[in-house]
Structure formats: C-alpha cells, structure tokens
Amino acid sequence: MSLYDCLSDTDLNIHDTIQAFTVKFKSGKSLQFDVIPADPKLGNFTEQDLAARIEKGSARLKDVLKAFVYEYDYIFIDCPTNWMFFSQSSLYACDAVLIPTKHNNLASLDNAAKVIKELVPKVKAARRDSGPIALPIFFNGENITPPQLKIANQEIASIITREIKASKFNLLPYFYPKYMKDDNNTKIFSLPSYAIVAGASFARIPAVFKDSTAAKYYLELAKEYFIL
C-alpha cells in the first residue's frame, strides 16, 4: 500500500504505509523513527489527474495525517521545489514551512520570496485556520565566504525593497529574523554542504547517524527552529 492509495481511497488505513527505520549503534543502543516512503504515483500523474482522482484534491493529505496527531512529536514532509500537487498538499497539511535556499542562486532566493509572499498566503486563505506559518529561510548548500555573503545580502536587500514598493509586503523578518533597527543583525542560519550527507544515501543511513559533524549541523538546525 502506498501514500497515493490512501489519498485516493478513504477506506484505507494510512498506518499501513509506515515503514519503521532502526539505526543500531556500536554501544548496543538503537534509535527508531517511522517513514512513509515517497510514492512515484504522485509524480506520474498530472496535477489535474490527481485532483480528479483524489477527493478534496490537495486538501486531502491534511485529513490523512490527522491520524498521527497524538502519535508523533513532529511530522516532517519533504516536498519538491515545484508548485505541483504534492507541494500544494504539503502546505495544506503543515503547521509550519521551513524554506531552504541557496546564497549563490538568484532564482532560489526569488523562489523563497515567492513562497512566503504568494503561496503561503494563498493556502492560508483556503484553510481559514491561520496556517501554515512560514519560518525564516535558511541557506542550504556550499559554504559561504564573506564576499559571497555580502553579495547575497545585497540581493536580499534588493528583493525586500522591491516587494515593499510593489505590494507593501515586508519580507525582512523572513530573511533576517533577528534584525533590529538598532543593531542591524542580518544573520541567516546556514546548513553547509557536507560530503558525508550525500554519501550516506548509498548506505541507506541518514548522515547524522554516521558522522558527528553532520549531526552537529542538524542539531543546530533543530535548535534554531524547533527547540525553545
């Protein structure tokens, strides 16, 4: 049974799609988390096909995931960067949106601004429950040198100014969450690229369980956004 099956058939139980993932350490301890695998069927059909095949369309995933509300502390949905059916479904289902972007890619910075300014408000209007909330963007990719960071900040300032002039939408808190008029804090959280992250996929083990540096990066990410 797959995620697509549960989305398209209301009589199926979403629990049957779960696959438990266990990591065993040399100390004898183990850690387990649950995964619902990506479903190729969601990419094989057009957006119109899926909307016609799935009752309530992109709003259906939110209903399906309600079964897990009291079973998990966090549910993470990894969705593609395009604004297709699954990405729309993910926004309808989530409470908060974590948006990675690249400091050296103008299109990536613009896309982050578009998600915050256009797509999240569009879903909010449809849901009518104040969700989802767009969290501040973070840099994900190559390590940033001071000159590269300077260029990125110049472009971000340009995007912020452009949107304020065009629609009075203030993106500043989403790019610079710690900015204050009196201290001009333009720090953006960064999760640098690391070879072990890509290599770990071949071992079918998340990099955080194979390398202490990768674990440190992602722990810092969790502290920045989810741990008070």
Side-chain angles (χ1 to χ4, degrees):
M1 186 186 301
S2 69
L3 177 59
Y4 169 78
D5 295 329
C6 289
L7 291 174
S8 57
D9 188 339
T10 57
D11 291 329
L12 298 179
N13 188 340
I14 186 64
H15 288 83
D16 293 333
T17 66
I18 293 175
Q19 294 186 18
F21 193 101
T22 302
V23 179
K24 294 182 179 180
F25 300 98
K26 293 180 180 180
S27 64
K29 293 183 179 180
S30 64
L31 180 67
Q32 180 177 312
F33 56 93
D34 294 332
V35 175
I36 296 178
D39 191 342
K41 291 180 183 177
L42 291 172
N44 292 339
F45 297 113
T46 66
E47 184 178 356
Q48 291 73 22
D49 287 337
L50 289 169
R53 292 166 182 262
I54 296 175
E55 182 182 348
K56 296 181 69 173
S58 55
R60 168 71 177 146
L61 180 62
K62 181 177 176 65
D63 290 344
V64 168
L65 294 181
K66 285 180 180 177
F68 299 131
V69 168
Y70 299 108
E71 298 180 31
Y72 297 93
D73 294 323
Y74 293 102
I75 299 174
F76 291 93
I77 308 173
D78 185 18
C79 58
T81 55
N82 57 45
W83 186 236
M84 301 300 285
F85 183 84
F86 191 70
S87 297
Q88 294 176 31
S89 298
S90 299
L91 277 189
Y92 271 97
C94 71
D95 297 317
V97 185
L98 187 60
I99 306 171
T101 188
K102 293 186 177 297
H103 71 276
N104 55 359
N105 187 312
L106 176 58
S108 183
L109 291 171
D110 272 326
N111 284 339
K114 182 178 181 180
V115 170
I116 294 167
K117 179 193 171 186
E118 298 179 19
L119 305 186
V120 169
K122 179 180 178 181
V123 173
K124 274 190 173 184
R127 281 176 47 170
R128 300 180 181 179
D129 62 358
S130 300
I133 297 171
L135 298 176
I137 66 105
F138 71 95
F139 289 139
N140 183 31
E142 297 83 356
N143 288 322
I144 309 173
T145 65
Q148 289 174 329
L149 182 58
K150 182 179 179 180
I151 292 173
N153 280 331
Q154 288 173 347
E155 186 55 42
I156 290 170
S158 176
I159 292 173
I160 291 172
T161 301
R162 180 192 71 200
E163 296 304 330
I164 288 177
K165 289 181 178 179
S167 61
K168 296 184 179 180
F169 193 101
N170 188 8
L171 288 166
L172 192 148
Y174 299 99
F175 280 102
Y176 302 132
K178 298 180 181 179
Y179 179 89
M180 300 290 288
K181 288 184 178 180
D182 56 348
D183 68 2
N184 195 33
N185 188 335
T186 57
K187 177 175 171 39
I188 294 178
F189 184 83
S190 179
L191 190 65
S193 177
Y194 195 51
I196 190 67
V197 176
S201 61
F202 291 98
R204 303 296 194 273
I205 298 176
V208 295
F209 300 128
K210 291 177 63 64
D211 185 272
S212 60
T213 302
K216 177 176 177 290
Y217 287 155
Y218 284 96
L219 179 59
E220 289 175 353
L221 176 70
K223 288 179 178 180
E224 182 76 10
Y225 288 95
F226 301 109
I227 300 176
L228 299 177

